[in-house]
Amino acid sequence: GDSVTQMEGPVTLSEEAFLTINCTYTATGYPSLFWYVQYPGEGLQLLLKATKADDKGSNKGFEATYRKETTSFHLEKGSVQVSDSAVYFCALSPPGSYIPTFGRGTSLIVHP
Amino acid sequence: DVKVTQSSRYLVKRTGEKVFLECVQDMDHENMFWYRQDPGLGLRLIYFSYDVKMKEKGDIPEGYSVSREKKERFSLILESASTNQTSMYLCASSSQGTDTNIQYFGAGTRLSVL
């Protein structure tokens, strides 16, 4: 079945550091790919998405590129802020399915 | 903006009690979902519904049931709460129209069963 693997956390960075959170997936066909973010005490919210190979999703300084050849969708940000501290979930949705598959989440802690 | 509202942020119940978790969405979404979130396990799907009065089992339906009598409301029921159901419960909704794969989440209900 479909699966999403993301790096275990927590990832601890200083403010203004470069961020990468790795995400790889296994799926048949061409799924849509997502990053969701969960701030403390809140539910998940969509951060960015990509629906086909080589698409780049971006939002709030975060970016991720849909790489079909490596089945990856790594999340990057050039300069993190304390306010980026949250849990980040990678997810996929197969074509024609309403049910996404989520990774286990990666906690990001940014220190001043 | 889509709003998904869960009736309680925190609940404390006793073992054996019947527990109702309520979720309401205001964007006329057809699909609604219940997940539980546990440390190290991520999100696990309990039940989902793609229409009024329709329900489908997710990955971990045992010990739970659901009710969807109205399009905007999806209830999760713990028939007899047990301590291993202590968890964070998240409700989500999504559309069957455009952006069908984007899920909108509530803030969660943290349930403690003593």
Side-chain angles (χ1 to χ4, degrees):
Chain A
D2 298 342
S3 67
V4 175
T5 302
Q6 53 183 114
M7 59 192 292
E8 290 191 24
V11 174
T12 304
L13 296 173
S14 297
E15 206 165 23
E16 300 184 1
F18 184 85
L19 168 71
T20 300
I21 300 178
N22 291 335
C23 171
T24 57
Y25 68 90
T26 302
T28 54
Y30 295 89
S32 295
L33 300 175
F34 307 84
W35 278 100
Y36 287 84
V37 58
Q38 184 180 31
Y39 297 105
E42 299 182 13
L44 282 70
Q45 58 185 270
L46 180 69
L47 180 60
L48 52 84
K49 68 171 185 173
T51 57
K52 61 183 188 294
D54 300 324
D55 265 2
K56 178 185 282 188
S58 62
N59 186 25
K60 300 182 181 180
F62 291 89
E63 293 182 339
T65 301
Y66 190 143
R67 300 289 188 199
K68 182 66 177 174
E69 63 278 9
T70 55
T71 61
S72 65
F73 193 54
H74 304 322
L75 183 68
E76 296 182 337
K77 187 176 185 183
S79 176
V80 293
Q81 305 301 311
V82 172
S83 57
D84 294 326
S85 299
V87 181
Y88 292 81
F89 291 88
C90 186
L92 68 82
S93 281
S97 171
Y98 301 134
I99 312 300
T101 298
F102 287 90
R104 295 192 174 188
T106 302
S107 175
L108 170 65
I109 301 169
V110 181
H111 294 292
Chain B
D1 278 352
V2 174
K3 190 166 185 182
V4 179
T5 303
Q6 295 184 230
S7 55
S8 304
R9 293 299 302 270
Y10 301 94
L11 275 179
V12 180
K13 297 293 181 181
R14 297 275 181 200
T15 302
E17 280 192 76
K18 190 169 186 176
V19 181
F20 293 85
L21 303 183
E22 307 286 345
C23 175
V24 177
Q25 50 94 4
D26 67 358
M27 280 300 290
D28 203 36
H29 283 171
E30 296 84 359
N31 304 323
M32 296 189 75
F33 308 80
W34 276 106
Y35 296 90
R36 64 178 282 176
Q37 181 179 14
D38 299 289
L41 298 178
L43 274 66
R44 293 182 290 168
L45 181 64
I46 305 172
Y47 268 97
F48 66 98
S49 168
Y50 54 88
D51 200 356
V52 175
K53 297 193 185 295
M54 304 302 291
K55 59 184 179 183
E56 296 286 343
K57 293 180 180 179
D59 299 319
I60 53 163
E62 297 78 18
Y64 304 93
S65 62
V66 290
S67 172
R68 190 154 181 216
E69 297 296 319
K70 293 185 177 181
K71 190 175 185 180
E72 67 270 18
R73 186 180 297 271
F74 193 36
S75 302
L76 180 69
I77 303 155
L78 287 65
E79 295 289 344
S80 178
S82 63
T83 55
N84 62 12
Q85 293 178 310
T86 292
S87 186
M88 170 71 87
Y89 290 88
L90 293 170
C91 175
S93 71
S94 69
S95 169
Q96 293 180 10
T98 56
D99 285 334
T100 59
N101 293 323
I102 297 175
Q103 297 216 317
Y104 297 86
F105 286 83
T109 296
R110 187 166 294 281
L111 173 67
S112 296
V113 182
L114 305 178

